[in-house]
């Protein structure tokens, strides 16, 4: 017997959500899930740790707020919506990591040039 309870999160929608991790505040507002707004708390390191929780638990939070039922059609629709967030979040993650690497290389090169200059 199939349980159509909105409070139960189907296994098919559980999993990591890059959108909830990278765009936690905006993702939360867009999915009527307001727990991601806790990243705004002015507690050192908490925002990053909470963003990890958002990525790990976000699909469940969004499912519970979505009003979808545990039917194949609703699961497919939900996954399609979250796939868009996932793609955007993953691309943003890649861009951020690449930017950090390029910045570190640039700073390293400038440091090496400065150390080798004679006055």
């Amino acid at each position: 017997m199939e349980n159509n309870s909105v409070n139960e999160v189907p296994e098919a929608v559980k999993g990591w959500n890059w959108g909830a991790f990278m765009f936690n505040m905006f993702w939360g507002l867009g999915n009527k899930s307001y727990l991601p707004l806790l990243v705004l708390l002015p507690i050192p390191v908490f925002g990053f740790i909470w963003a990890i929780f958002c990525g790990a638990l976000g699909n469940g939070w969004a499912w519970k707020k979505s009003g979808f039922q545990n039917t194949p059609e609703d699961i497919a629709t939900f996954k399609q919506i979250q796939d868009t967030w996932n793609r955007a979040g993953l691309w943003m993650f890649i861009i951020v990591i690449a930017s950090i690497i390029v910045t570190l290389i640039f700073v390293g090169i400038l440091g090496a040039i400065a150390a080798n200059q004679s006055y």
Side-chain angles (χ1 to χ4, degrees):
M1 181 169 166
E2 186 174 311
N3 185 354
N4 287 338
S5 173
V6 175
N7 291 326
E8 284 192 33
V9 180
E11 287 297 319
V13 302
K14 290 180 180 177
W16 182 261
N17 189 316
W18 284 104
F21 174 65
M22 291 302 295
F23 301 116
N24 36 57
M25 293 180 300
F26 304 110
W27 178 91
L29 292 172
N31 286 283
K32 300 177 194 148
S33 179
Y34 304 110
L35 284 172
L37 294 176
L38 290 175
V39 299
L40 296 173
L41 292 175
I43 302 171
V45 186
F46 176 78
F48 178 71
I49 293 169
W50 191 246
I52 293 171
F53 274 94
C54 291
L57 303 174
N59 282 344
W61 297 338
W63 176 265
K64 289 178 181 180
K65 297 290 184 175
S66 69
F68 286 129
Q69 298 297 308
N70 192 355
T71 64
E73 296 83 19
D74 280 356
I75 291 172
T77 301
F78 179 84
K79 288 176 78 173
Q80 184 179 22
I81 292 167
Q82 294 308 316
D83 282 348
T84 303
W85 282 102
N86 268 315
R87 278 192 303 278
L90 181 58
W91 275 108
M92 181 57 73
F93 180 77
I94 291 168
I95 290 168
V96 167
I97 295 300
S99 298
I100 290 170
I101 291 170
V102 168
T103 301
L104 290 174
I105 291 170
F106 183 70
V107 168
I109 291 171
L110 287 179
I113 291 171
N116 288 328
Q117 283 191 354
S118 58
Y119 293 97

